[in-house]
Amino acid sequence: MGQGLWRVARNQQLQHQGYSGQGYLTREHGRRIATNNVSNTSHRKQAQGGIDIYHLLKTRKSKEQEGFINLEMLPPELSFTILSYLNATDLCLASCVWQDLANDELLWQGLCKSTWGHCSIYNKNPPLGFSFRKLYMQLDEGSLTFNANPDEGVSYFMSKGILDDSPKEIAKFIFCTRTLNWKKLRIYLDERRDVLDDLVTLHNFRNQFLPNALREFFRHIHAPEERGEYLETLITKFSHRFCACNPDLMRELGLSPDAVYVLCYSLILLSIDLTSPHVKNKMSKREFIRNTRRAAQNISEDFVGHLYDNIYLIGHVAA
């Protein structure tokens, strides 16, 4: 009975100290939350050279502006950082409120270079009255024009001084841009083989496994939907570039550009075989090794087996 009374008294003491419900874990959880809050507050105070950013964000000009943060009251570096997360449309809207901040050239320069990584005009002395905001509008207009008619789009960029009339400059622009329609781009590259040659040389396949390198290649230069001369040209150019990037590996494996060409074609056919729902009897690893080595006898059986495993586990090389 004495032990029973002692338990009752002890439970009352624990409840009084905050151990009710979940007991010790609840109190520990509360202690962790308090510690995290102190840590976060300390971190905020350390930012911007000791300025209490949290306090600045809470600052209001008047009671009428409650709930509205005026970026002009913040340090310029912090205001520009906040605005840098906006896209072009939202930045234009923000300029209606913070005209000086949202029209800053650094913000529009960042938008241009993050969307179009290379333009010839970036490396030139800007003409009188140059504006990155205006350049963004021109780049956007030119991209839309390219997606409707590639030749007219490239001509537009050149007429505005954005691109030089050089296959290498056009190739760099294409390589660093993700806003161009891949179908129109494929048509353009098929017609402009000089641009295609420079575009291939921009790829670096050093120390990459062959199927992964092929995937990266077709991610920038999309493969045609049907077999033909253009696909053969792409594989040939890729094979020579892959060998040029990996001379030591080619000597170690005893591979030539012709052998890499055979492997690439085999990988594309294997990808179709393994991923197509219309193929019921999938090619086995043994069949793939036998067929590939029959076309290129000097290739190692283990190396060909690793190629099969990569396609089987990761998927199509030209999807």
Side-chain angles (χ1 to χ4, degrees):
M1 181 175 179
Q3 292 179 353
L5 292 174
W6 181 85
R7 291 194 187 95
V8 172
R10 181 59 178 166
N11 290 338
Q12 291 177 351
Q13 182 182 5
L14 291 176
Q15 291 177 1
H16 179 70
Q17 293 178 354
Y19 285 85
S20 60
Q22 298 296 326
Y24 175 77
L25 293 176
T26 303
R27 183 163 185 174
E28 275 299 302
H29 178 66
R31 187 176 299 162
R32 292 193 190 101
I33 293 176
T35 302
N36 290 337
N37 289 338
V38 172
S39 176
N40 292 336
T41 303
S42 175
H43 177 72
R44 285 194 298 267
K45 287 184 177 181
Q46 291 176 0
Q48 295 294 327
I51 298 176
D52 190 348
I53 303 302
Y54 181 74
H55 175 72
L56 286 173
L57 293 174
K58 288 252 181 192
T59 303
R60 305 288 187 266
K61 275 189 174 181
S62 62
K63 292 183 179 180
E64 290 78 11
Q65 291 181 330
E66 186 174 358
F68 178 78
I69 300 173
N70 190 348
L71 296 183
E72 294 178 348
M73 299 179 62
L74 302 179
E77 297 82 1
L78 182 59
S79 300
F80 289 140
T81 301
I82 294 173
L83 292 175
S84 67
Y85 288 96
L86 301 181
N87 56 32
T89 302
D90 292 336
L91 195 57
C92 287
L93 293 175
S95 66
C96 298
V97 181
W98 303 290
Q99 185 173 4
D100 293 336
L101 289 174
N103 286 332
D104 190 271
E105 283 291 278
L106 287 176
L107 292 174
W108 287 99
Q109 180 180 358
L111 277 176
C112 288
K113 293 189 175 182
S114 63
T115 308
W116 300 274
H118 176 83
C119 292
S120 303
I121 198 172
Y122 293 160
N123 302 319
K124 298 179 180 178
N125 293 326
L128 187 64
F130 174 80
S131 167
F132 273 102
R133 178 172 179 171
K134 181 180 178 181
L135 176 62
Y136 183 96
M137 304 305 174
Q138 292 175 340
L139 285 167
D140 187 56
E141 178 68 22
S143 297
L144 293 174
T145 305
F146 184 96
N147 293 338
N149 187 311
D151 292 327
E152 291 184 5
V154 174
S155 298
Y156 175 87
F157 288 131
M158 292 178 182
S159 66
K160 299 297 181 181
I162 297 173
L163 278 181
D164 292 342
D165 189 3
S166 163
K168 188 173 183 179
E169 286 297 301
I170 299 174
K172 287 182 179 180
F173 175 80
I174 293 173
F175 186 78
C176 299
T177 302
R178 298 294 178 268
T179 60
L180 305 180
N181 182 276
W182 64 271
K183 291 184 178 180
K184 297 295 184 179
L185 183 58
R186 186 176 62 194
I187 296 173
Y188 180 78
L189 293 176
D190 191 11
E191 296 174 350
R192 291 292 304 271
R193 298 298 175 91
D194 54 343
V195 176
L196 177 61
D197 290 337
D198 286 314
L199 185 58
V200 172
T201 59
L202 293 174
H203 291 80
N204 184 8
F205 302 122
R206 183 171 178 79
N207 295 329
Q208 291 192 31
F209 194 38
L210 181 60
N212 297 332
L214 199 57
R215 289 188 184 93
E216 180 183 337
F217 179 75
F218 283 131
R219 201 172 292 126
H220 286 95
I221 306 174
H222 293 271
E225 298 175 353
E226 298 178 355
R227 302 180 197 176
E229 186 269 339
Y230 183 55
L231 177 60
E232 295 176 359
T233 299
L234 291 181
I235 299 176
T236 300
K237 293 182 182 297
F238 168 82
S239 302
H240 284 84
R241 183 59 183 168
F242 184 82
C243 292
C245 292
N246 299 279
D248 297 335
L249 179 63
M250 295 301 100
R251 283 193 297 267
E252 179 183 345
L253 297 176
L255 296 178
S256 64
D258 292 338
V260 174
Y261 176 93
V262 172
L263 290 176
C264 292
Y265 224 105
S266 299
L267 289 173
I268 294 175
L269 295 178
L270 177 65
S271 299
I272 297 173
D273 187 273
L274 294 182
T275 59
S276 176
H278 303 293
V279 179
K280 296 182 179 180
N281 298 322
K282 306 295 183 182
M283 183 182 298
S284 67
K285 185 175 183 179
R286 181 178 298 178
E287 290 173 333
F288 177 73
I289 294 174
R290 184 181 66 249
N291 295 339
T292 303
R293 296 195 68 198
R294 186 181 301 166
Q297 300 177 358
N298 296 330
I299 300 176
S300 168
E301 181 175 332
D302 291 337
F303 181 73
V304 179
H306 292 319
L307 296 177
Y308 181 93
D309 294 337
N310 182 279
I311 303 300
Y312 183 84
L313 295 174
I314 299 180
H316 209 302
V317 293

